[in-house]
Amino acid sequence: MTTAEKPIRQSVSLPARLARRVRSLAKNRKTSTNRVLVELIETGIESKEAEKSRFFELADRLSATSDPSERKRIKELLASMTFGE
């Protein structure tokens, strides 16, 4: 978050077990629970974006390759990314 951005207050309800873990992380890092939540959310969003980029990269490789074994391997990777198999 840049300093030019105005923070927006957002209320979030967390399960007790998760809230304890967030408080524990904050205590270990000597920071606020709010800062830990922001970092976790930013990391999660970046992770999802990287996963999406990887998916499209594989899809492009699938359309570009003519090697049957490579196509099969890429299809299996895409299926596991899509269906978690």
Side-chain angles (χ1 to χ4, degrees):
M1 183 172 73
T2 65
T3 55
E5 294 179 32
K6 182 180 177 193
I8 298 173
R9 186 163 181 80
Q10 181 72 46
S11 177
V12 178
S13 297
L14 300 174
R17 183 173 101 355
L18 186 56
R20 281 193 301 274
R21 290 178 67 188
V22 170
R23 281 194 302 271
S24 176
L25 281 170
K27 184 176 179 181
N28 290 339
R29 295 180 188 178
K30 296 182 172 121
T31 189
S32 69
T33 55
N34 188 67
R35 171 67 3 222
V36 170
L37 287 169
V38 169
E39 289 172 1
L40 289 170
I41 291 167
E42 287 173 341
T43 301
I45 290 171
E46 289 167 2
S47 174
K48 287 292 185 185
E49 288 172 350
E51 184 180 346
K52 183 178 175 182
S53 294
R54 174 80 173 133
F55 180 88
F56 286 117
E57 174 191 324
L58 285 171
D60 288 343
R61 282 182 42 203
L62 178 64
S63 65
T65 189
S66 59
D67 179 26
S69 63
E70 179 70 2
R71 288 183 66 81
K72 182 179 180 191
R73 188 182 71 76
I74 293 172
K75 283 180 182 181
E76 289 171 357
L77 285 170
L78 289 170
S80 70
M81 289 177 77
T82 304
F83 305 112
E85 297 175 354

